[in-house]
Amino acid sequence: MKINSKSKKINKAWLNDHINDPYVKLAQREGYRARAAYKLKEIDEELKLIHPGQVVVDLGAAPGAWSQYLRRRFAPKEAGTGGAAVGELNGTIIALDLLEFEPIEGVQFIQGDFREDAVLAQLEAALGGRAVDVVVSDMAPNLSGIEISDAARIENLIELALDFSSKHLKPEGALVAKVFHGSGYSQLVELFRQYFKKVKPIKPKASRDRSSETFLVGIGLK
């Protein structure tokens, strides 16, 4: 018996959109692991956050597209193609995620839960006392569909990223973090404003129109 469920229809629609997505095709052509690379690229091109020689922490890094973009930016000569530049690296990239992460040359990876003190201790050890120029966070919790519960989970991750940034960023440093429009969004903007002199919400073109995700960028610690 064939069951034509709603979820199957949704999955089929998503797959169709994914296959025809221009950013998916671009990522495949340029060697990025995911279309998400272009979200960070747009934010960086608008705000000029990433520069060779910096120390950058990539939270929620898997599958690695943001680290690939950072790696390319830190190559002495930016590669025209190929998401993961190889060879000499001018800068430090430390990536962290719960999930496994296929190695990227020059990127130091820590596997673990950012909410755990032991994992944070590993991250701090990897920094070796160096101040961070930019923290980028594509972290997102597993969403339940219950708005109040999901808003609390998102806020918890943002609070952790803000707390880490406040302790480790250079005074003029920046945090880029994924958030979601909906319950709790205005509170997250206010939370950012408690930590940063400048706060800018950005919805990159590479972020799908129907997605509620947006990115908050905080620049310059208070």
Side-chain angles (χ1 to χ4, degrees):
M1 184 172 70
K2 189 175 180 182
I3 300 171
N4 206 3
S5 69
K6 187 178 178 182
S7 63
K8 284 184 179 177
K9 288 179 183 175
I10 291 169
N11 290 339
K12 190 173 181 180
W14 179 89
L15 186 61
N16 186 59
D17 287 350
H18 184 76
I19 290 167
N20 295 306
D21 188 309
Y23 289 102
V24 171
K25 292 177 179 177
L26 193 58
Q28 290 169 345
R29 195 159 61 242
E30 295 191 344
Y32 284 116
R33 295 176 183 176
R35 67 194 298 288
Y38 300 102
K39 300 172 190 177
L40 183 58
K41 184 173 188 284
E42 283 183 62
I43 293 166
D44 180 34
E45 287 175 348
E46 180 173 340
L47 298 176
K48 306 290 188 284
L49 299 175
I50 311 297
H51 305 283
Q54 290 178 327
V55 175
V56 180
V57 173
D58 181 3
L59 301 175
W66 279 21
S67 284
Q68 284 181 304
Y69 174 75
L70 295 166
R71 180 67 176 85
R72 181 184 291 190
R73 291 287 283 123
F74 286 175
K77 290 183 180 178
E78 289 185 39
T81 58
V86 294
E88 192 181 343
L89 172 67
N90 182 12
T92 300
I93 305 162
I94 302 170
L96 187 150
D97 203 290
L98 262 173
L99 304 173
E100 290 185 3
F101 184 93
E102 187 182 337
I104 296 171
E105 184 180 320
V107 176
Q108 185 174 347
F109 176 65
I110 298 166
Q111 185 170 2
D113 191 332
F114 185 63
R115 294 168 294 187
E116 294 178 3
D117 291 342
V119 175
L120 274 176
Q122 283 185 64
L123 183 50
E124 288 170 350
L127 287 170
R130 292 171 294 176
V132 178
D133 293 278
V134 183
V135 175
V136 296
S137 172
D138 202 23
M139 290 191 297
N142 290 324
L143 300 177
S144 65
I146 302 167
E147 194 170 2
I148 294 173
S149 175
D150 289 341
R153 291 177 187 177
I154 293 162
E155 186 172 352
N156 177 243
L157 286 178
I158 294 297
E159 284 173 348
L160 288 169
L162 284 166
D163 183 60
F164 176 82
S165 298
S166 69
K167 292 173 181 172
H168 297 284
L169 276 179
K170 292 179 179 177
E172 70 281 10
L175 167 64
V176 179
K178 177 161 73 178
V179 297
F180 296 90
H181 274 286
S183 177
Y185 174 75
S186 58
Q187 290 95 312
L188 293 178
V189 174
E190 286 306 311
L191 202 54
F192 258 70
R193 286 183 177 143
Q194 290 174 27
Y195 285 86
F196 292 101
K197 295 172 187 171
K198 179 182 177 182
V199 177
K200 185 174 178 62
I202 298 180
K203 173 81 169 175
K205 292 187 185 74
S207 183
R208 291 187 172 100
D209 290 340
R210 66 176 177 276
S211 171
S212 64
E213 75 170 8
T214 191
F215 294 86
L216 289 178
V217 184
I219 302 172
L221 290 170
K222 284 186 173 178

